[in-house]
C-alpha cells in the first residue's frame, strides 16, 4: 500500500527537500582532512542519522555501545598517531621550551646585586646579527640558501622578541655588523670592489634594511611594560662594523654616508643610566695606519693617507671633552626638568664697541665612561679570554697566556681581529680619564679581559653574536645593569662607589639551533624506519582480507555495496529513503560516496556490523610501498601544519 500526501496540511509534515549530491560534495571535502578514525566516526554518526530518519533504528542500536566505543578507541591509539604525538612534543620543545628555559636563567633578580632601594638602568648588548645574504654563503645553492636566510631571521626575531617580553631593557645597544654584505651593495656613487657583487644595487641594501627593521624594530614595543625610566626606552644601532662599511682603507665614504643616514651618526656620546657611553667608528679610524690604496703612501713620509675616511672620527676624539660636557650637562638639565635656555648680561655699550658674545664651553661632569667599539682593543698575543669562551675553553685555570683561548692577533681582506696598539692607546687616552669599561663585537664569541697595559686598566667584554650562523653553536647577548646615583645639581655621586662597581654584567646564552635541527633529523629518520617496518608487517603478516588482524591499518573503510531496494510500501513516499540517498551519493566525489553507501547499507544494525579492512582496490596499504607512502603522508600533513603554526606565531 502506498500513500500520497496532496493536501497543504500534509505538506507541513513533509521534511524539507535537500540536495544530497551537492551537500555530499561539500561535506566530502571537509571529511577528507580528518584522520582515518575521524572519518569512520563521522560515517557512523551519519549512518545513525539515516536510520533515525527512516525509522529503522532499533533500541539496541541507539547510543554508543561497547563495540562502537572500542572501535573508536582502537582507531585513535595507533602507531601513526603515536608518532604524531611524539612530533607534537618534540616541535613544541624545539620551538618554545628551549628558548624560554634559556632566558629564564637570565632574569635580572637572579644575578643583580644592588642595595634594596636601588633603581638600576637595564641594558642589553647585541652584537653581530650579520643578516645572512648572498655574501655569506656565495656557493650555497637554492633552496638551501633561502632556507638559511629564513631560519636565521626567524631565530633572531624570536630571540629578540623574548628579550623584550621577558626583560624589557631600558636601552638596547648594537655593536656593529648589522649586515653581512652591507659594504658590498652599491650606492649611487660607489660599487663593490668585487666583481661578483656589482649587480647588487642600492635597492638591495634597502631590502636588507627593511629586514633588519622587521627582525628588531618591529619587536621593540613588546618590552614597554617592563621599563619605568622617565626618559623612555632607547635602541641605538648606529655603531658600524667592518661588514657594514669595510675596514680601514677599504671603507667607501658613500657607503658610510648611507649607513649613517638610516642609523644615525657613528661617532656619538650618550648618557645612559648616569654613565657616559662613547661610540667610536673604529673601522674608519683604522685607516690612519694603513697605506692609501690610491697613492700607496703609509703616512711615514709626512702625507695623510685616507684622510677622507678617518678624519671625521679623529676630529670627534680630539673634541671629546666638548662632546662629553654637552651630553652630561644636558642630562642633568633633563633630570632637573629644565630647558636648555640662554642667559645674557644686559648692559648699555657704545655702538662703536664690538659686542661679540661667546658662549662658554660646557664642562664634563665626570660620569663613569664606557667605550663602544666594534673591533676589540689591542691586547698582547695569547691573552686568555676566560671560561665563557665557547670555541676553546681555558687550558688551565689562572693561566697568564693561553693561545687557544685568546683572540687571534691577525687581519685580512676587510677585517682585523683587534685594533693596532697605537690606535687603541690613542682611543683610551682621548675617551677620558674615567674610562672604566669597554664593549666590542666582531669576534662572534665571548671574551673578557682587563687591559692592564692601558691607563685605568679598563675591562673589556667582547659580546657573542646573536646569530647561530656565525660559527658559534650557542649564540648569546649580554645584559648589563647600571646604578650610579648622583646629585642632580652637581652630578657628583651621592654614594661612595669604587671604579667599575657601578656596572654589573651577565652573559646570556641562547639555544643551540643546530642541535635542535639534528634532533629533528633523528626523529625524522626514526619515523621513516618505524613506518616502513609497520608497512612490512601489515602487508606480509596481516593482509587486508584478514579481518581478525590485531593491528589495524592506517585508513580503513568498507567496500562499496549496492544500495538496498526500497520496499513497495515506501516507493511513492516523499520521504527520502536509504536507497534514494545512496543513489544520489553515487555521484558524490570520493571518499564521501563510500561513506554514504557504507552508512546506508552496512549500519542498519550497528551491533551486527563488522569492522573490516577495506578491499585492496581502495586501500593504499595493499603493497608495502603504498602502505608506507600513505602513512608518511598522514603523519607529515599533521606535523607540518603544527610546525608552521609554531613558527608563524612568532
Amino acid at each position: 500500500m502506498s500513500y500520497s500526501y496532496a493536501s497543504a496540511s500534509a505538506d507541513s509534515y513533509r521534511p524539507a527537500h535537500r540536495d544530497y549530491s551537492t551537500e555530499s560534495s561539500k561535506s566530502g571535502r571537509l571529511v577528507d582532512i580528518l584522520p582515518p578514525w575521524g572519518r569512520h566516526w563521522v560515517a557512523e554518526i551519519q549512518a545513525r542519522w539515516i536510520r533515525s530518519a527512516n525509522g529503522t533504528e532499533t533500541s539496541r542500536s541507539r547510543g554508543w555501545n561497547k563495540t562502537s566505543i572500542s572501535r573508536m578507541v582502537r582507531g585513535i591509539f595507533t602507531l601513526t598517531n603515536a608518532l604524531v604525538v611524539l612530533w607534537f612534543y618534540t616541535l613544541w620543545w624545539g620551538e618554545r621550551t628551549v628558548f624560554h628555559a634559556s632566558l629564564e636563567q637570565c632574569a635580572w633578580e637572579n644575578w643583580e646585586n644592588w642595595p634594596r632601594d636601588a633603581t638600576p638602568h637595564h641594558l642589553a648588548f647585541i652584537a653581530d646579527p650579520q643578516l645572512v645574504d648572498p655574501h655569506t654563503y656565495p656557493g650555497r645553492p637554492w633552496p638551501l640558501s633561502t632556507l638559511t636566510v629564513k631560519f636565521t631571521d626567524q631565530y633572531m626575531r624570536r630571540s629578540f622578541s623574548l628579550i623584550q617580553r621577558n626583560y624589557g631593557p631600558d636601552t638596547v645597544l648594537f655593536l656593529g655588523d648589522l649586515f653581512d654584505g652591507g659594504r658590498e651593495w652599491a650606492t649611487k656613487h660607489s660599487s663593490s670592489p668585487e666583481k661578483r657583487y656589482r649587480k647588487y644595487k642600492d635597492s638591495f641594501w634597502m631590502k636588507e634594511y627593511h629586514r633588519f627593521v622587521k627582525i628588531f624594530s618591529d619587536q621593540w614595543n613588546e618590552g614597554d611594560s617592563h621599563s619605568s625610566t622617565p626618559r623612555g626606552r632607547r635602541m641605538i644601532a648606529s655603531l658600524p662594523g667592518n661588514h657594514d662599511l669595510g675596514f680601514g682603507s677599504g671603507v667607501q665614504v658613500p657607503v658610510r654616508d648611507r649607513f649613517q643616514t638610516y642609523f644615525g651618526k657613528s661617532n656619538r656620546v650618550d648618557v645612559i643610566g648616569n654613565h657616559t657611553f662613547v661610540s667610536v667608528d673604529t673601522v674608519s679610524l683604522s685607516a690612519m695606519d694603513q697605506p692609501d690604496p690610491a697613492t700607496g703612501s703609509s703616512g711615514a713620509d709626512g702625507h695623510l693617507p685616507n684622510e677622507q675616511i678617518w678624519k671625521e672620527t679623529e676630529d670627534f676624539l680630539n673634541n671629546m671633552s666638548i662632546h662629553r660636557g654637552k651630553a652630561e650637562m644636558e642630562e642633568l638639565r633633563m633630570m632637573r626638568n629644565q630647558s636648555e635656555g640662554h642667559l645674557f648680561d644686559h648692559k648699555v655699550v657704545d655702538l662703536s664697541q664690538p659686542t661679540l658674545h661667546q658662549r662658554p664651553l660646557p664642562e664634563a661632569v665626570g660620569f663613569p665612561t664606557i667605550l663602544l667599539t666594534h673591533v676589540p682593543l689591542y691586547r698582547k698575543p695569547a691573552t686568555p679570554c676566560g671560561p665563557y669562551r665557547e670555541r676553546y675553553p681555558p687550558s688551565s685555570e689562572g693561566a697568564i697566556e693561553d693561545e687557544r683561548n685568546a683572540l687571534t692577533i691577525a687581519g685580512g681582506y676587510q677585517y682585523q681581529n683587534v685594533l693596532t696598539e697605537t690606535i687603541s692607546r690613542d682611543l683610551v687616552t682621548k675617551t677620558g680619564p674615567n674610562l672604566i669599561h669597554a664593549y666590542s663585537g666582531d669576534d662572534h664569541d665571548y671574551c673578557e679581559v682587563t687591559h692592564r697595559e692601558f691607563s685605568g686598566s679598563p675591562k673589556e667584554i667582547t659580546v657573542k653574536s646573536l646569530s647561530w650562523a656565525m660559527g658559534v653553536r650557542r649564540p648569546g647577548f649580554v645584559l648589563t645593569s647600571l646604578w650610579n646615583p648622583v646629585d642632580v645639581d652637581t652630578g657628583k655621586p651621592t654614594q661612595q662607589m669604587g671604579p667599575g662597581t657601578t656596572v654589573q654584567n651577565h652573559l646570556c646564552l641562547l639555544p643551540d639551533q643546530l642541535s635542535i635541527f639534528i634532533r629533528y633529523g633523528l626523529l625524522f629518520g626514526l619515523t621513516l624506519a618505524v613506518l616502513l617496518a609497520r608497512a612490512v608487517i601489515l602487508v606480509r603478516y596481516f593482509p587486508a582480507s584478514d579481518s581478525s588482524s590485531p593491528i589495524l591499518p592506517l585508513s580503513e573503510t568498507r567496500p562499496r555495496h549496492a544500495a538496498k531496494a526500497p520496499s513497495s510500501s515506501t516507493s511513492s513516499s516523499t520521504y527520502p529513503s536509504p536507497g534514494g540517498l545512496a543513489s544520489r551519493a553515487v555521484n558524490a566525489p570520493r571518499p564521501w560516496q563510500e561513506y554514504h553507501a557504507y552508512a546506508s547499507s552496512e549500519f542498519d544494525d550497528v551491533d551486527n556490523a563488522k569492522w573490516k579492512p577495506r578491499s585492496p582496490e581502495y586501500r593504499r596499504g595493499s603493497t608495502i610501498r603504498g602502505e608506507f607512502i600513505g602513512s608518511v603522508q598522514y603523519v607529515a600533513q599533521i606535523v607540518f601544519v603544527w610546525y608552521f603554526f609554531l613558527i608563524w606565531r612568532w
Side-chain angles (χ1 to χ4, degrees):
M1 180 181 296
S2 62
Y3 298 90
S4 176
Y5 298 90
S7 64
S9 59
D11 289 341
S12 62
Y13 298 96
R14 185 182 306 161
H17 176 71
R18 302 173 66 180
D19 188 348
Y20 290 96
S21 176
T22 304
E23 181 177 325
S24 299
S25 177
K26 295 179 180 179
S27 303
R29 288 193 293 268
L30 296 176
V31 174
D32 284 344
I33 66 175
L34 296 176
W37 59 268
R39 294 197 294 267
H40 293 315
W41 186 60
V42 171
E44 186 166 345
I45 291 177
Q46 186 186 19
R48 292 176 179 273
W49 178 84
I50 294 172
R51 291 194 303 272
S52 177
N54 293 321
T56 59
E57 184 175 14
T58 64
S59 59
R60 290 176 53 194
S61 63
R62 293 190 182 98
W64 295 101
N65 54 29
K66 293 183 179 180
T67 303
S68 61
I69 294 177
S70 175
R71 292 168 186 163
M72 184 174 66
V73 170
R74 292 176 64 189
I76 295 175
F77 293 97
T78 61
L79 185 59
T80 50
N81 287 341
L83 289 173
V84 169
V85 172
L86 181 59
W87 270 105
F88 266 52
Y89 170 79
T90 303
L91 291 176
W92 180 266
W93 167 84
E95 305 301 321
R96 292 292 190 277
T97 305
V98 291
F99 282 88
H100 288 283
S102 296
L103 291 176
E104 283 177 359
Q105 303 175 7
C106 294
W108 301 106
E109 60 273 11
N110 292 343
W111 55 272
E112 279 184 316
N113 187 22
W114 301 118
R116 186 180 300 273
D117 60 342
T119 54
H121 188 97
H122 292 153
L123 289 89
F125 286 98
I126 309 294
D128 301 85
Q130 285 189 224
L131 304 188
V132 174
D133 54 35
H135 174 268
T136 311
Y137 305 107
R140 184 165 291 188
W142 185 90
L144 190 57
S145 58
T146 302
L147 291 176
T148 303
V149 171
K150 295 297 183 183
F151 281 109
T152 52
D153 286 6
Q154 173 73 11
Y155 184 93
M156 290 189 290
R157 180 168 56 249
R158 174 180 300 170
S159 301
F160 193 76
S161 176
L162 286 175
I163 293 172
Q164 302 309 311
R165 294 180 186 179
N166 292 0
Y167 309 128
D170 303 313
T171 304
V172 171
L173 294 167
F174 286 81
L175 296 173
D177 275 358
L178 310 183
F179 310 109
D180 190 66
R183 67 192 180 206
E184 308 293 347
W185 319 136
T187 68
K188 294 181 180 179
H189 306 288
S190 67
S191 62
S192 174
E194 296 192 50
K195 184 177 180 180
R196 57 179 171 175
Y197 298 125
R198 290 176 184 171
K199 62 180 179 179
Y200 297 97
K201 304 303 180 183
D202 187 63
S203 58
F204 188 84
W205 188 92
M206 288 302 303
K207 292 179 181 179
E208 298 299 285
Y209 171 75
H210 289 299
R211 276 179 64 196
F212 181 88
V213 170
K214 184 177 180 180
I215 294 172
F216 298 106
S217 299
D218 288 354
Q219 328 301 325
W220 173 246
N221 292 334
E222 295 180 4
D224 290 347
S225 60
H226 294 274
S227 178
S228 59
T229 175
R231 293 286 301 277
R233 304 174 68 227
R234 284 186 282 182
M235 184 170 68
I236 303 174
S238 59
L239 187 70
N242 58 302
H243 282 267
D244 299 316
L245 308 184
F247 185 83
S249 59
V251 174
Q252 299 184 72
V253 176
V255 173
R256 185 176 66 190
D257 292 343
R258 177 179 61 189
F259 183 88
Q260 294 185 4
T261 299
Y262 286 88
F263 290 101
K265 283 291 184 180
S266 301
N267 301 297
R268 57 186 292 165
V269 176
D270 298 279
V271 178
I272 302 173
N274 296 339
H275 290 71
T276 302
F277 283 74
V278 180
S279 303
V280 181
D281 178 10
T282 51
V283 294
S284 297
L285 185 64
S286 296
M288 289 185 66
D289 53 7
Q290 288 188 349
D292 193 320
T295 64
S297 172
S298 61
D301 55 359
H303 296 286
L304 298 177
N306 308 311
E307 185 175 6
Q308 75 280 8
I309 299 176
W310 55 261
K311 189 68 167 64
E312 180 181 314
T313 305
E314 179 67 8
D315 290 342
F316 170 76
L317 291 174
N318 290 336
N319 296 286
M320 179 56 62
S321 60
I322 299 176
H323 296 303
R324 288 191 55 187
K326 182 179 180 180
E328 292 173 359
M329 292 300 295
E330 177 66 20
E331 180 68 16
L332 290 178
R333 276 194 294 268
M334 294 294 295
M335 293 171 64
R336 296 193 297 263
N337 294 322
Q338 294 178 350
S339 60
E340 184 173 358
H342 297 280
L343 298 178
F344 297 94
D345 293 330
H346 298 276
K347 60 182 179 179
V348 178
V349 297
D350 189 84
L351 290 177
S352 61
Q353 182 180 350
T355 56
L356 297 178
H357 174 75
Q358 185 175 3
R359 187 180 178 186
L361 296 176
E363 295 183 2
V365 176
F367 288 159
T369 305
I370 296 176
L371 173 65
L372 305 182
T373 168
H374 174 70
V375 183
L377 298 172
Y378 175 82
R379 73 284 312 274
K380 295 180 180 179
T383 301
C385 285
Y388 299 114
R389 190 163 179 81
E390 177 183 317
R391 294 195 190 106
Y392 301 108
S395 56
S396 61
E397 186 177 353
I400 300 178
E401 293 186 357
D402 191 344
E403 187 172 354
R404 287 171 58 87
N405 183 248
L407 263 66
T408 304
I409 311 301
Y413 173 71
Q414 298 280 33
Y415 82 93
Q416 192 170 289
N417 289 350
V418 298
L419 299 172
T420 62
E421 184 176 6
T422 302
I423 289 182
S424 299
R425 193 174 301 277
D426 187 58
L427 188 60
V428 171
T429 302
K430 293 181 178 179
T431 299
N434 299 322
L435 180 63
I436 61 171
H437 217 300
Y439 295 89
S440 59
D442 186 67
D443 186 67
H444 300 171
D445 205 351
Y446 188 85
C447 184
E448 186 174 335
V449 299
T450 300
H451 293 283
R452 305 192 185 280
E453 64 272 23
F454 299 138
S455 175
S457 300
K459 181 179 179 180
E460 179 182 1
I461 289 180
T462 300
V463 181
K464 268 196 166 191
S465 172
L466 191 72
S467 173
W468 65 274
M470 293 298 117
V472 289
R473 294 286 295 270
R474 296 292 304 273
F477 59 97
V478 168
L479 291 179
T480 299
S481 181
L482 305 175
W483 187 60
N484 180 35
V486 299
D487 183 87
V488 297
D489 295 320
T490 64
K492 301 301 180 182
T494 57
Q495 296 192 22
Q496 293 295 330
M497 304 183 71
T501 58
T502 59
V503 181
Q504 295 180 10
N505 300 290
H506 187 78
L507 170 64
C508 296
L509 297 177
L510 294 169
D512 182 353
Q513 183 66 61
L514 187 58
S515 175
I516 295 174
F517 284 156
I518 290 175
R519 295 199 181 193
Y520 289 170
L522 293 176
L523 181 56
F524 177 73
L526 175 65
T527 301
L528 293 182
V530 170
L531 292 180
L532 180 61
R534 171 187 175 278
V536 172
I537 294 174
L538 284 179
V539 173
R540 291 192 175 182
Y541 299 100
F542 302 96
S545 59
D546 185 5
S547 61
S548 62
S549 171
I551 301 180
L552 290 177
L554 173 67
S555 176
E556 299 171 341
T557 58
R558 296 285 297 182
R560 288 182 297 175
H561 297 279
K564 295 180 180 179
S567 62
S568 58
S569 61
T570 59
S571 59
S572 61
S573 174
T574 57
Y575 288 90
S577 66
L581 180 60
S583 63
R584 290 186 178 97
V586 169
N587 297 324
R590 291 184 181 183
W592 197 240
Q593 63 179 357
E594 298 178 9
Y595 299 149
H596 280 285
Y598 172 44
S600 61
S601 61
E602 296 297 332
F603 272 94
D604 289 335
D605 188 350
V606 70
D607 293 330
N608 295 329
K610 295 183 179 180
W611 199 271
K612 297 181 179 180
R614 57 179 176 178
S615 58
E617 62 268 27
Y618 296 111
R619 173 183 171 185
R620 286 184 176 179
S622 58
T623 64
I624 295 177
R625 180 176 180 274
E627 186 68 40
F628 174 69
I629 293 177
S631 59
V632 169
Q633 290 177 344
Y634 168 74
V635 174
Q637 67 185 4
I638 300 177
V639 169
F640 275 116
V641 170
W642 174 241
Y643 179 67
F644 287 130
F645 170 79
L646 291 177
I647 62 177
W648 171 72
R649 291 298 298 173
W650 288 94

